[in-house]
């Protein structure tokens, strides 16, 4: 058995990853440690909750005693660290929890991994650590780190720490840096689900600045498959960029969603820009393609159709979310919009 500690497995990407892995592997024993912050949701994991190879613990990655207990009890040999505060706008509203979870939490996991001689530590990072591109060029693994938001700076700090643990202690750390994900179970604060849900509710669609910022989109299952390959074949001390070469301007995504849902562009509302808003992200994923044999499989239009369909069919899932604490965040972020 492969005894794997997955942190943040009740969030968007972590839950997609656990559902994906347990539907195809019976030699993984997964321990999912998640604090169940506003972004964690056990409803995402209904299909695996009775699986004998799945164990859930509610807890914080900064809790050393708990981490020690889990490593010992389950003879953990692999760690995949998804747990993070993940939303840029929230990091601008208040940054402390970002550094606590994303930096201190990663440190606690790395220290435990060192004590228990694990076989692989995968740090799930982001392309945002590279900063912002102008109209030309791509992020490669050699691009210098130049994070611009409290969120991305906390992720960059964790990356540097993880690489230092490899360099100093020979800890088998691998880092993945993926671009913007979309798909089922994504929390409604992020661009694509926010626009789908507001459209369905005939609410205004808040587009920051001029709407011309570019993101490079990847369907979440393509990301999960890349992580699976990195788990199997990724080399210690290496960084792998993950992206599906799908650059889109925000305004074009918003208009596409409006069109697919037969709504008028009049719902678009240009609002004050995000402070320090990165202009463009674009990933060069040649390394993972050439060295590990990964390639993206999902086409943007059809995966977006599937995602929209998922949000239409799973209204209960997001209605429960947007009627709770989320309303306070929405008001703080968007005022009376
Ligand atoms: P998410 O916000 O949906 O989920 C984060 C999960 O971590 C939640 O379940 C939350 O409860 C849990 N968590 C937060 N703090 C914790 C703590 N202190 N201890 C234990 N659990 C805690 O995030 P996501 O979009 O699924 O992102 C997952 C990871 O992937 C993050 O590390 C993020 O930086 C990275 N990433 C995300 C994207 C993207 O487009 N969403 C792209 C590249 C990388
Ligand atoms: O690139 C990977 C990153 O992608 C991950 O590391 C982050 O965890 C994830 O949140 C995401 O960050 P972004 O800031 O790129 O994603 P977000 O969905 O917040 O915004 C995407 C773009 O849409 C960005 O240019 C800001 C814009 N936007 C976003 C929201 C929420 C709007 O115009 N209006 C909005 O209301």
């Amino acid at each position: 058995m492969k005894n794997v500690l997955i942190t943040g497995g009740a969030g968007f990407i972590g839950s997609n990853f656990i559902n994906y892995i347990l539907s195809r592997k019976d030699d993984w024993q997964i321990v999912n440690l998640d604090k169940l912050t506003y972004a964690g949701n056990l409803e995402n994991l209904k299909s695996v909750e009775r699986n004998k190879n799945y164990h859930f613990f509610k807890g914080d990655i900064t809790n050393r005693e708990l981490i020690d207990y889990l490593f010992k009890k389950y003879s953990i040999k692999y760690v995949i660290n998804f747990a993070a505060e993940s939303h840029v706008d929230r990091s601008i509203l208040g940054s402390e929890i970002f550094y606590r979870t994303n930096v201190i939490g990663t440190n606690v996991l790395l220290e435990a991994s060192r004590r228990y001689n694990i076989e692989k530590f995968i740090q799930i990072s982001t392309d945002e650590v590279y900063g912002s591109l102008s109209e030309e060029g791509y992020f490669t693994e050699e691009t210098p780190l130049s994070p611009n938001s409290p969120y991305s700076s906390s992720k960059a700090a964790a990356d540097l720490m993880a690489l230092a643990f490899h360099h100093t202690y020979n800890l088998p750390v691998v880092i993945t840096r993926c671009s913007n994900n979309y798909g089922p179970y994504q929390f409604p604060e992020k661009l694509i689900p926010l626009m789908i849900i507001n459209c369905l509710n005939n609410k205004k669609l808040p587009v920051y600045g001029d709407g011309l910022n570019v993101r490079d989109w990847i369907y979440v299952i393509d990301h999960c498959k890349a992580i699976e390959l990195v788990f199997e074949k990724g080399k210690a001390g290496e960084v792998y960029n993950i992206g599906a070469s799908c650059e889109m301007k925000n305004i074009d995504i918003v208009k596409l969603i409006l069109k697919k849902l037969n709504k008028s562009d009049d719902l678009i509302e240009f609002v004050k820009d995000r402070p320090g808003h990165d202009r463009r992200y674009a990933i060069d994923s040649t390394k993972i393609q050439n060295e590990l044999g990964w390639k993206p499989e999902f086409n943007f239009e059809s995966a977006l159709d599937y995602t929209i369909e998922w949000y239409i069919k799973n209204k209960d899932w997001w209605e429960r979310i947007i009627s709770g604490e989320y309303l306070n965040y929405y008001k703080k972020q968007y005022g009376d919009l």
Side-chain angles (χ1 to χ4, degrees):
M1 277 311 245
K2 295 186 168 71
N3 296 336
V4 187
L5 175 66
I6 291 187
T7 68
F12 163 49
I13 304 174
S15 62
N16 273 287
F17 184 75
I18 291 175
N19 288 325
Y20 168 77
I21 288 291
L22 289 179
S23 69
R24 55 203 311 277
K25 304 259 193 213
D26 52 18
D27 63 340
W28 282 48
Q29 169 158 252
I30 292 181
V31 177
N32 175 15
L33 172 65
D34 196 297
K35 186 178 170 185
L36 298 182
T37 66
Y38 77 91
N41 189 344
L42 291 180
E43 285 181 48
N44 305 2
L45 293 156
K46 268 199 195 118
S47 68
V48 299
E49 62 191 12
R50 288 200 182 78
N51 188 312
K52 65 177 181 2
N53 292 339
Y54 173 74
H55 312 272
F56 174 73
F57 286 83
K58 180 175 190 288
D60 194 318
I61 57 167
T62 63
N63 181 340
R64 284 167 222 279
E65 290 74 32
L66 175 61
I67 300 294
D68 211 62
Y69 165 81
L70 293 176
F71 269 75
K72 230 184 269 167
K73 180 170 166 65
Y74 291 98
S75 306
I76 295 299
K77 283 291 162 214
Y78 303 88
V79 175
I80 308 180
N81 184 26
F82 290 95
E85 288 295 333
S86 69
H87 194 40
V88 174
D89 292 323
R90 288 192 193 243
S91 81
I92 294 168
L93 291 172
S95 65
E96 196 202 335
I97 189 68
F98 283 75
Y99 296 106
R100 191 187 299 277
T101 290
N102 302 359
V103 184
I104 306 292
T106 302
N107 176 257
V108 170
L109 293 169
L110 287 166
E111 283 292 357
S113 300
R114 188 157 82 84
R115 281 196 301 280
Y116 287 89
N117 285 321
I118 65 157
E119 290 176 27
K120 194 169 270 182
F121 186 107
I122 303 182
Q123 173 65 8
I124 305 297
S125 186
T126 166
D127 61 355
E128 294 198 15
V129 297
Y130 296 121
S132 185
L133 293 165
S134 53
E135 275 162 35
E136 302 281 302
Y138 297 91
F139 296 136
T140 73
E141 290 80 358
E142 312 306 323
T143 304
L145 303 194
S146 181
N148 289 318
S149 71
Y151 162 70
S152 56
S153 67
S154 71
K155 294 295 288 185
D159 281 19
L160 292 176
M161 182 176 14
L163 289 172
F165 270 63
H166 171 70
H167 187 81
T168 308
Y169 306 116
N170 211 19
L171 192 74
V173 166
V174 188
I175 293 180
T176 62
R177 294 189 182 136
C178 189
S179 62
N180 286 62
N181 286 222
Y182 64 99
Y185 302 117
Q186 187 164 30
F187 195 83
E189 67 196 354
K190 306 287 183 352
L191 180 78
I192 288 184
L194 187 139
M195 297 301 163
I196 297 172
I197 290 170
N198 281 15
C199 250
L200 293 172
N201 285 337
N202 291 310
K203 281 186 69 171
K204 287 285 185 187
L205 311 187
V207 175
Y208 297 157
D210 59 8
L212 299 180
N213 299 64
V214 171
R215 295 293 181 265
D216 189 351
W217 295 91
I218 182 171
Y219 187 58
V220 63
I221 297 300
D222 271 334
H223 185 189
C224 293
K225 289 183 177 191
I227 297 167
E228 181 187 20
L229 261 185
V230 168
F231 181 92
E232 286 162 358
K233 301 203 264 175
K235 282 210 204 90
E238 295 292 320
V239 175
Y240 297 94
N241 282 353
I242 304 167
S245 301
C246 178
E247 288 182 56
M248 301 271 295
K249 293 189 184 82
N250 294 336
I251 190 66
D252 292 339
I253 296 213
V254 172
K255 286 187 174 167
L256 189 59
I257 292 171
L258 281 161
K259 191 167 154 228
K260 286 181 183 294
L261 288 168
N262 289 317
K263 298 284 166 100
S264 153
D265 284 5
D266 293 346
L267 282 179
I268 294 173
E269 182 88 19
F270 287 94
V271 298
K272 197 166 142 287
D273 207 355
R274 173 186 279 177
H277 197 175
D278 286 338
R279 192 61 171 171
R280 172 173 168 257
Y281 302 150
I283 276 268
D284 178 339
S285 61
T286 308
K287 179 174 173 181
I288 191 169
Q289 302 213 24
N290 288 351
E291 293 185 14
L292 305 188
W294 175 83
K295 62 174 176 10
E297 291 167 19
F298 291 88
N299 152 280
F300 181 74
E301 280 255 354
S302 51
L304 181 65
D305 283 342
Y306 175 75
T307 303
I308 292 175
E309 206 50 44
W310 188 89
Y311 280 90
I312 291 173
K313 284 198 185 120
N314 290 277
K315 209 168 169 205
D316 285 359
W317 181 89
W318 54 261
E319 274 191 333
R320 267 196 288 282
I321 294 171
I322 65 168
S323 59
E325 185 272 332
Y326 185 68
L327 285 175
N328 299 331
Y329 163 74
Y330 202 89
K331 176 106 188 138
K332 231 190 253 169
Q333 181 65 19
Y334 299 104
D336 291 325
L337 196 69

